[in-house]
Amino acid sequence: MTAETTAAVDQQVRTTTVDVRCTGHVRDAVGTSDLEFTFEGTTLREFLEEFFAAYDVEEMLIAETEADATARGWAPVPDELPGTWRKNPEGDQTRPYARVCINGRFNEHFEGFETELEDGDRVALIYPFMFCC
């Protein structure tokens, strides 16, 4: 491969196509429960940035601060999480009751928003309807 060819390949942006499943309020805002979405890049963060640019659901799902990620009345998180429990860092968390899943597993079980996505992966954006009494 020549230097020119290598430079051209480096300038090409890789796209990834995923199946998106939406539930609850996200489904209502997006207008469908199931869609295919192609974005530039390969990470969950890149997917979310482009998806939120296309569909106005970021505030529904993403917590800006630790306080936004915690529901009042929840037990405090221990300093050392047991087993393989992980928590996304501040700024990379979802709101209470909202979740982002990759192929059926919470994104915290992977690499958070830096998780690499592949063509055909299923990304679920979950924000359920909640009813009281």
Side-chain angles (χ1 to χ4, degrees):
M1 193 179 279
T2 68
E4 290 174 8
T5 305
T6 303
V9 169
D10 288 342
Q11 289 179 355
Q12 290 179 347
V13 177
R14 179 168 175 220
T15 61
T16 306
T17 301
V18 295
D19 293 321
V20 182
R21 306 293 164 91
C22 304
T23 69
H25 294 294
V26 178
R27 180 190 65 223
D28 283 354
V30 171
T32 185
S33 62
D34 188 13
L35 68 140
E36 189 174 84
F37 192 83
T38 301
F39 65 98
E40 289 184 1
T42 61
T43 66
L44 179 60
R45 181 179 310 281
E46 291 165 321
F47 160 77
L48 291 171
E49 287 172 359
E50 285 199 34
F51 193 83
F52 294 153
Y55 300 97
D56 188 23
V57 295
E58 181 175 10
E59 280 189 31
M60 192 179 300
L61 293 166
I62 305 302
E64 296 278 327
T65 66
E66 187 72 32
D68 290 342
T70 307
R72 207 177 97 236
W74 283 10
V77 175
D79 290 334
E80 296 211 18
L81 297 173
T84 59
W85 287 13
R86 283 189 244 178
K87 185 175 182 187
N88 284 333
E90 187 168 333
D92 286 355
Q93 297 175 349
T94 56
R95 293 192 171 277
Y97 313 111
R99 304 303 278 166
V100 176
C101 296
I102 303 163
N103 297 323
R105 295 187 66 204
F106 296 142
N107 70 302
E108 293 93 344
H109 295 290
F110 297 104
E111 299 300 320
F113 289 177
E114 298 310 318
T115 302
E116 289 287 325
L117 299 176
E118 296 180 12
D119 286 331
D121 279 349
R122 187 179 66 236
V123 178
L125 304 175
I126 303 167
Y127 189 71
F129 295 113
M130 296 182 64
F131 300 96
C132 180
C133 307

